[in-house]
Amino acid sequence: MDKILSVSRSFFERYRNKIAFFMLCVSIFSFAFVALKNFDNLKVPYFNGIYDDVVINIETPDLDGIPIKLYLGNDKTFNFISRFRTKNPLAITNYYSNTIDYKKYKKLSIIYPADFTFDLRNYIATSNVFIGNKHFYFGHKDIKFFEQKIIEVNGKKVKQIILPSEIRKFKNAEYMNYKGNYNAVAVVFLSFFYSAFTLYLIPWILFIVGIWILKNERLKIPTSIILSAITLLAIYLRFNLFTEYPMWWDECYTATITGDIINPFSDIFFDPGNPPFFALVSRLWQSFVPNTIEWLRTLPLIFSVGSILTLYLLIKTRINTKTALLASFLLTVSIFHINYAQDYRAFSLSSMLTPLVVYFMFKMLEKMNFLNTFLFVLFSSMIFSNHLYGTILLIVNFIYGIWYILTKYQEKLKSVLTFLCAHLLVGMTFLPYFFNTFLQKAVLNSNFNVWLPDMCWWVFLNALRAMFGNWQIALSILILSIIFIVCMFCFKNKLFTQVDTKQREFIFYLIYLVFGFLLVNITISSIRAIIMEYYFMLIYPMSIALISTLFMLNWRYKFINVILSFGLLYTVSHMDYNNLWKFKNVYGSLTQVSNADAINYKKNKVLVYEQIEPPKYGELFELEPNVVVETDFNGGSEDFTKFTKKVRKYAKDNPTQFAIFNAWYSEVTSQDQAIFEDGNFEYIAEFIKTPYDINDGILRVVLLPQK
């Protein structure tokens, strides 16, 4: 038996690299084969799939009792439904249907029973069609010339109104809702990770085992090439569908109020929930670039890519190059991080600053000269004034720094005073904002951020989901952290190899920082709610650093590293937190529908009721000349009651004037509907369905001259 094992071991050592290369080649072929086979059905968080959602709206008289359906071919149909109806004199209602399955479609059509003698084309007044963020508008003059024929669907004869061939996401694409080759490449690549255990398990097993079999000396690729490739990949993924989702409320708020250079400088202190640093950076950015969604979102994209490089710098200097490259790659493919690269707010900047704050804190603790102290104060001041969670980071770091000085330094008093003075300088930079805004509007205001959820179990789980992926991963990281701490103190590197003092101390710090940051958040939220999942973007790079470091530890028993590789893959597959608010707003669609109405009714007003100040709305969205913006800046749950009252008042003041009111629809109450119906003017009130979120759309009210 021993001889057989010896021969087998000798054979394996002789051919291990050939075996490894064979497994790697087979795994790569398997990845490609699985991706090609499942190409049409691939989906990843945030970007969704290869094909877009399609929404069809048709405006017709009340068609109760007439089964109108959206026909997708192969006997597949979706019903047309109506969300909002009133007892208006013209009985005009908007019916909508959407595909919601992200399948590919060459063409769509509307079908209704062939035994109905009327021609539906003569009754459809308008149609608003959305393929993702692409909008198509058809008036009655267009619709009555749509092709119609009789076909058989599910054994029944129906009349089929074929939608025009120009309804395409991309003009020359074979399928009308294909999102383009750029997106397809991004989705295929990300699916390797986010569908790792549902589609690619066998390829990953071959790949991971092949990597571990291959001798390391065969993988000597220059670090600069690997880091450059990671950076280019990060840029590519963050540019994918860069403007697909319209700017949502908070982005518009930042772009047009606190961060708009044409506003008074004092407006950077306007927001009690967001310190002024990003608003200041935004003003500087807007002084050089046009105020468009493309240019505005380029700023957080730059910071997002920058955070990958700052994290690499930190981990390389404190741990090693391999771990730094892994951490950079994990941040690159993280959906959570990609999402906020496309969000014009402070989060990407925070994620770039956090590694720099930690980097210069350690530089300062190691050598308290002027340069290190100055740079620590500089970057700490930036993050302190960029997001309120920066306060928690500095508190946790301050405690660690004092402990470090007391245990490492001989001149303890002088060093403690230097470290304390550095933090006092950081605090002083926050004072203008504190006294101008934060004290009165936040600290002493019991209504500040009342929308944040009170501390409870699901809030805690959501925080873990943002930081780690889910609670199971968080628990695994905690267990690995405890094992590492116990081994370092009790077994003196008997389970791990190649962990020097500098690395050990930094891993201790990462464990303390990540879980300490979470603990401080939970403690404060138990008194006053401060937790919202995406706020953890500030600490997210350090969570990635901890995950990378623990999974890259060299265990003396190699099979543990192989098992942990699959644990790391599972962790990556759950880095999928994304802000659903971006899907739930319809600013882009609202603009598209309003502009279509404005073109259709050139001599009349189209009024848009929104929460953005009227002069600012036109800066972000191109509006037709006869589109007028009404606003109620404070917003709130009463928005649509206020909206309906505005419509009533306008109708009373202008009884003979045609006008259209379009508003972001969230939930129309019975009270709102009663306000509409309690009038002596003619109108059409309807819900126009928009893409992305199943519940949201536009509330469109058309006021007609009295007869």
Side-chain angles (χ1 to χ4, degrees), residues 528-546:
R528 184 170 182 175
I530 65 167
I531 290 182
M532 181 51 64
E533 301 92 281
Y534 49 84
Y535 293 173
F536 286 93
M537 178 54 67
L538 182 142
I539 199 66
Y540 189 63
M542 307 314 296
S543 297
I544 294 294
L546 177 60

Side-chain angles (χ1 to χ4, degrees), residues 442-687:
V443 177
L444 301 178
N445 182 5
S446 59
N447 293 320
F448 172 68
N449 274 1
V450 292
W451 59 273
L452 289 175
D454 292 329
M455 189 63 215
C456 61
W457 181 243
W458 71 265
V459 169
F460 174 66
L461 292 180
N462 282 339
L464 294 182
R465 182 186 169 208
M467 291 180 70
F468 300 102
N470 58 34
W471 69 266
Q472 294 94 332
I473 296 171
L475 181 60
S476 301
I477 296 300
L478 180 60
I479 292 172
L480 283 174
S481 300
I482 293 171
I483 291 173
F484 178 80
I485 293 171
V486 171
C487 288
M488 291 298 105
F489 282 107
C490 301
F491 299 106
K492 302 297 182 183
N493 278 352
K494 289 185 178 180
L495 289 181
F496 304 103
T497 61
Q498 302 174 1
V499 181
D500 60 30
T501 302
K502 181 180 178 181
Q503 292 171 335
R504 182 174 66 248
E505 289 181 351
F506 187 69
I507 296 173
F508 285 159
Y509 165 77
L510 285 176
I511 296 169
Y512 159 79
L513 173 65
V514 171
F515 289 104
F517 188 94
L518 179 62
L519 184 61
V520 171
N521 259 286
I522 293 170
T523 303
I524 297 175
S525 284
S526 300
I527 303 169
R528 184 170 182 175
I530 65 167
I531 290 182
M532 181 51 64
E533 301 92 281
Y534 49 84
Y535 293 173
F536 286 93
M537 178 54 67
L538 182 142
I539 199 66
Y540 189 63
M542 307 314 296
S543 297
I544 294 294
L546 177 60
I547 290 168
S548 304
T549 302
L550 291 176
F551 280 109
M552 283 294 285
L553 287 171
N554 289 312
W555 291 70
R556 291 191 180 277
Y557 307 100
K558 292 298 181 184
F559 75 92
I560 298 179
N561 285 108
V562 176
I563 294 172
L564 288 178
S565 297
F566 288 97
L568 179 61
L569 181 61
Y570 177 81
T571 301
V572 176
S573 70
H574 286 78
M575 293 179 177
D576 59 356
Y577 174 80
N578 59 91
N579 179 11
L580 297 180
W581 283 107
K582 193 176 289 187
F583 307 145
K584 289 176 69 64
N585 84 87
V586 294
Y587 286 124
S589 304
L590 178 62
T591 303
Q592 291 165 336
V593 171
S594 299
N595 281 339
D597 281 333
I599 294 171
N600 198 27
Y601 305 104
K602 292 182 179 179
K603 296 181 180 180
N604 301 289
K605 288 184 179 180
V606 175
L607 295 102
V608 176
Y609 176 75
E610 260 311 333
Q611 297 174 340
I612 305 175
E613 291 180 326
K616 307 299 182 183
Y617 192 90
E619 291 182 16
L620 299 178
F621 303 97
E622 294 183 6
L623 301 172
E624 292 295 320
N626 53 326
V627 174
V628 181
V629 180
E630 292 278 335
T631 189
D632 181 350
F633 178 71
N634 291 323
S637 60
E638 72 281 12
D639 282 351
F640 294 98
T641 300
K642 290 182 178 179
F643 169 65
T644 51
K645 289 179 179 178
K646 281 179 178 285
V647 176
R648 291 280 293 112
K649 185 177 185 304
Y650 188 89
K652 183 178 180 180
D653 296 341
N654 303 275
T656 61
Q657 184 174 341
F658 176 98
I660 298 175
F661 274 74
N662 290 335
W664 175 6
Y665 172 103
S666 181
E667 182 180 357
V668 177
T669 65
S670 58
Q671 181 184 3
D672 298 323
Q673 187 162 326
I675 293 173
F676 278 122
E677 295 176 353
D678 183 23
N680 57 359
F681 56 92
E682 297 186 30
Y683 61 88
I684 305 167
E686 60 193 8
F687 169 82

Side-chain angles (χ1 to χ4, degrees), residues 95-272:
Y95 291 84
Y96 70 90
S97 182
N98 62 305
T99 56
I100 65 175
D101 58 0
Y102 300 98
K103 302 293 185 182
K104 61 182 180 183
Y105 299 108
K106 285 190 174 181
K107 61 182 179 180
L108 299 177
S109 56
I110 300 168
I111 60 173
Y112 61 103
D115 53 2
F116 283 87
T117 57
F118 67 89
D119 188 339
L120 182 61
R121 293 174 298 178
N122 294 328
Y123 292 87
I124 300 177
T126 65
S127 178
N128 285 282
V129 180
F130 297 95
I131 304 179
N133 68 344
K134 197 75 176 286
H135 173 252
F136 303 88
Y137 176 86
F138 301 98
H140 180 67
K141 292 180 181 179
D142 305 308
I143 295 168
K144 68 181 181 179
F145 292 109
F146 285 1
E147 180 184 355
Q148 179 173 271
K149 59 184 180 180
I150 296 178
I151 62 171
E152 190 171 292
V153 177
N154 292 319
K156 297 180 180 179
K157 288 187 176 182
V158 296
K159 292 180 181 178
Q160 179 190 33
I161 302 174
I162 301 173
L163 298 179
S165 59
E166 63 260 30
I167 298 179
R168 287 278 186 280
K169 181 86 172 183
F170 289 95
K171 187 175 181 180
N172 297 318
E174 180 180 2
Y175 298 98
M176 63 185 302
N177 56 337
Y178 181 59
K179 292 161 71 173
N181 296 333
Y182 192 108
N183 171 73
V185 172
V187 169
V188 168
F189 178 79
L190 289 172
S191 73
F192 295 156
F193 303 95
Y194 290 95
S195 299
F197 291 90
T198 55
L199 293 177
Y200 301 101
L201 183 57
I202 292 177
W204 272 115
I205 291 174
L206 293 171
F207 184 82
I208 290 173
V209 174
I211 287 292
W212 278 106
I213 291 176
L214 190 66
K215 288 186 177 180
N216 290 334
E217 58 265 23
R218 295 285 181 146
L219 292 173
K220 291 184 177 179
I221 303 173
T223 301
S224 58
I225 293 179
I226 299 175
L227 184 60
S228 297
I230 290 173
T231 305
L232 291 174
L233 175 64
I235 295 171
Y236 185 93
L237 294 176
R238 282 151 182 76
F239 265 121
N240 185 45
L241 303 184
F242 192 49
T243 60
E244 173 73 15
Y245 305 116
M247 294 183 75
W248 68 293
W249 197 91
D250 279 13
E251 288 185 278
C252 296
Y253 174 87
T254 302
T256 62
I257 299 176
T258 59
D260 194 337
I261 193 170
I262 67 173
N263 289 343
F265 182 79
S266 59
D267 280 3
I268 68 171
F269 301 108
F270 179 79
D271 187 352

